[in-house]
Amino acid sequence: VRFLCGALVVRAAAGGLAPASGLRDRAARCADLLSGSVMPRGGRVCLTATLLAAMAAMEMEAGAAAPPRTVVVGGGIHSVSLAYFLAKQGADVTVVERSRIAAAASGKAGGFLAREWGDSKTEQLHHRGFDMHAELAEELGFETYRRLTTLQVAPGFRPGKRRPNPASWLDGNAGASVMDTGTAQVTPAEYCEKVWAAAEAAGAKLVVGRAAGVERDEASGAVTGVRVEGEEALVTGDAYVLAAGPWTGPLAEEWFGMRLPMTGIKSTSVILGDVDAMRKEPFAAFCGRDAWGCHLELYPRPDGSLYICGCGGSDEVDNDRMREGGDCYDPDSIAADPARVAAARQSLADMSSIGRLDVPAVEQACMRPSTPDGLPVMGRVPGAPNAFVTAGHNCWGILWAPISGKAMSELILTGESSLNLSRFEPGRFGTLAVGEKRPREEMTSPSGSSAENPKRRE
């Protein structure tokens, strides 16, 4: 009993408990009564039980009140999703982003969502990601989330009167049929904006500046802080997450010496301005390859705009080109290919009179991160016990963002995830020898469609 009293007094002093809990005062009172008091055995038993209960409650409160302070490098959709789920659990979260939230692909992607388009390796991501998008849309008030039907389109085919196209705006050389009635969409920029706003409201912070490196403990390999350009002090925490899209590849190699063969698939997209037909008949459409080298994907948005990708001619960018000094180092330097914009416009004009409308257009490009096996990288960094990676989600990065953020938050907070992450281990590509750079021939990655459906693979 005297040992427990002493342990309790020390624990109460060092526990960092909230004063409002009253547990510290209750425990100290028990200790005072038990120490040196003469009382019947039954009284001592009752007080000892109270003492043990107080100690257990203090341990639970201390654990719940002090989740690991987490530093996330990168400001894309996976970073803001992770920050949101961590902040909801009371974690202190700092996001380090060199320019702004959703500065790269997360602000330029199409936002197509398909629940049943995964395979045995990714089905859990598809199902839970799709369901969580609907939940977050209701919780946070997304205006651009909606369910819609997806069509499969054969370019160059003229449909007959007996079998008209489901979408009347496909009034050119295009035959269409229903592919999936259970798909959905969200505008990724709105998702990032509102999820980050909710994370900030829960206490998350943004540090704007380039993450220039990490400091590590020589003995354990643990990260002790992130160096940020323009900041004198390190950005410190208890856990560190690298979530920088395709730039995660070169950063992981430089900071942790791990092989992370990431390819940034740079693709052009176009957004046509106000198109009335998109409001009246909002069908998503996946088109076959055509004479202009396109395989267009068409996503009508609630505001009447039409997002067009699958313009062809994607550039596969390796880690070296994404390092400092490379032509794809800066996300703001990723620009549309004028030749692919022209090809996409010609392709659309052949299939639909919409392509011949004189409407404002946004021409842009972004890079989606892809690994050689087509699977994301999610989990702990080998050799760095408090460092984590989440990246490489390829064409399904928007769909998988909510479940990936939740799964990684669970891993950081509890050491375990409700998602099976075994296929996505960051260490599956091995480590680099000291001074070694991975050869370019290893930097291959299947580009595929920006939202490839297993049902339509050749």
Side-chain angles (χ1 to χ4, degrees), residues 203-221:
K205 301 177 289 295
L206 176 66
V207 173
V208 177
R210 185 180 75 90
V214 293
E215 295 291 331
R216 299 178 65 184
D217 179 75
E218 291 186 8
S220 67

Side-chain angles (χ1 to χ4, degrees), residues 40-55:
R41 178 179 176 82
R44 283 184 175 273
V45 171
C46 290
L47 281 172
T48 302
T50 303
L51 178 64
L52 291 171
M55 291 182 71

Side-chain angles (χ1 to χ4, degrees), residues 124 128 403 406-407 410-411 416-420:
Q124 58 176 342
R128 294 180 63 181
I403 182 56
K406 181 174 173 54
E410 293 168 343
L411 183 63
E416 296 181 355
S417 170
S418 60
L419 197 68
N420 181 2

Side-chain angles (χ1 to χ4, degrees), residues 65-81:
R69 297 171 302 135
T70 306
V71 179
V72 184
V73 176
I77 192 167
H78 285 269
S79 297
V80 300
S81 298

